[in-house]
Amino acid sequence: RSIAVTRQAAKDRRVDLLNFPIQNLKFLRKIDAKLISNVTLEVIFNSIIKIEKQMIPKAIGILKQNITLARKYNMPIIGSSGATNLLEMKTPRDMAAFFQILGLSVEESLNTFSRNPHAIIERNKSKLNSEYIGDGIRLIPRRRA
């Protein structure tokens, strides 16, 4: 809800995703995008659907600018349905179409629901490996002569 909390969360290597409540959605500033570019920006589809109708155009405009800035600084973007019951479920292609409205290409919008979440899972699985020490640091077993 505040940029100070966002910055602190982005410094913590345990944080994978940042999402901003749609009700408090603000423009992502250039300096903030640079600082938090090591985490993934999550956009929750259901939160956009549930806001008041007169707020939807403003929310879409802000999301579009935030996504443009996130792309500029190579911040991965993922989308999630945010569904709390079966009736709120949407297909990935339906949600990907919405991301195209926000300025992503067809491939990028499909990646928000496939490749980008999969990359987070693979990165976290590699951290569970006994050879993992830190980001970019691996233990290499000693060869016996």
Side-chain angles (χ1 to χ4, degrees), residues 20-39:
F20 302 98
I22 201 76
Q23 299 84 351
N24 295 353
L25 199 59
K26 296 191 174 26
F27 292 108
L28 190 60
R29 298 177 316 182
K30 186 177 179 180
I31 186 77
D32 302 325
K34 284 182 183 179
L35 291 171
I36 64 175
S37 63
N38 62 317
V39 295

Side-chain angles (χ1 to χ4, degrees), residues 128-140:
L128 298 174
N129 188 328
S130 62
E131 295 174 354
Y132 178 84
I133 295 175
D135 288 340
I137 305 169
R138 303 267 186 261
L139 179 65
I140 300 173

Side-chain angles (χ1 to χ4, degrees), residues 72-130:
K72 181 178 180 180
Y73 292 102
N74 298 318
M75 180 187 290
I77 302 166
I78 70 164
S80 63
S81 68
T84 57
N85 62 53
L86 189 59
L87 296 174
E88 292 177 351
M89 294 293 293
K90 304 287 183 246
T91 68
R93 287 205 178 268
D94 289 344
M95 292 185 288
F98 174 73
F99 275 78
Q100 290 175 43
I101 293 170
L102 298 176
L104 296 179
S105 69
V106 173
E107 183 180 352
E108 288 172 318
S109 58
L110 289 173
N111 285 343
T112 62
F113 299 97
S114 59
R115 285 194 180 140
N116 297 352
H118 187 262
I120 292 171
I121 292 167
E122 289 301 315
R123 185 175 61 236
N124 287 339
K125 280 173 56 176
S126 74
K127 289 179 181 179
L128 298 174
N129 188 328
S130 62

Side-chain angles (χ1 to χ4, degrees), residues 2-3 31 61 144:
S2 76
I3 198 61
I31 186 77
R144 294 186 181 190

